[in-house]
Amino acid sequence: MAPRSESVEDFRQRARTWLANCMPKAGTMPKREGIDPEEQNWLDARDLQKLLFSGGFAGICFPREYGGQGLTREYQVAFNEESAPYEMPVALNVPSLGICSAMLLDMGTEEQKQKYVRGAISGELVLCQFLSEPSGGSDLAGLLTRAQRDGDTYIINGQKCWSTYAFAADFATCLVRTDWDAPKHRGLSMIIVPVHDPATHMNRVQMV
Ligand SMILES: Cc1cc2nc3c(=O)[nH]c(=O)nc-3n(C[C@H](O)[C@H](O)[C@H](O)COP(=O)(O)OP(=O)(O)OC[C@H]3O[C@@H](n4cnc5c(N)ncnc54)[C@H](O)[C@@H]3O)c2cc1C
């Protein structure tokens, strides 16, 4: 972790040395035998994120209490410049870190931040978003997925689509309707759901 008083220039020098010693150069990730290239990319992204985390360079602008470095944008820019020649877990930037974790920082409970934001920064978890639905995505006030309270849990029924990287994610921030009596743009809740649950059926969109 960066010393609190470290200047951007000192941080840059430290990052340069660490990157040269610890990160693979772009295009030199070792191939994993018998694993398809897409799965390999995701395993690599998680491993690279874990490396960044162990080196104290993950979540540069995220708060320290959730696994980040608590630094300003200038430090992130310096790190981006220094890390350009190296393999980086860029697939985790959006939506896992840049959207889901950032949203949880603003809106999540302390427990959620400790589990999901820290999990994403440390490379243990990948997050995605379940917002859009087959009946329309832009007009989120029209969403139909419902969550019904059942004791301590919710039972969720509905369909989501265009969920970027859902196939590779562990958890999704899922927008659901919890109050059908409220006006359309109210009565909505965000529930964090496991993506690969036996009760969830996923179809990949095939690229043509
Ligand atoms: C690269 C990419 C990644 C994405 N990743 C995700 C993701 O991870 N998770 C996720 O949930 N979604 C994701 N989406 C979906 C995206 O956020 C939009 O919700 C979705 O593309 C819009 O839905 P739709 O295509 O069904 O269009 P529609 O919602 O049917 O909209 C079609 C047109 O109608 C207009 N329109 C819609 N409603 C109204 C209204 N009430 N009044 C007037 N005009 C209206 C829209 O502006 C648009 O021009 C992604 C989209 C893209 C392009």
Side-chain angles (χ1 to χ4, degrees), residues 95 128-139 161-165:
C128 71
Q129 307 186 90
F130 286 173
L131 310 172
S132 306
E133 300 188 350
S135 55
S138 312
D139 180 20
C161 62
W162 315 129
S163 313
T164 303
Y165 297 152

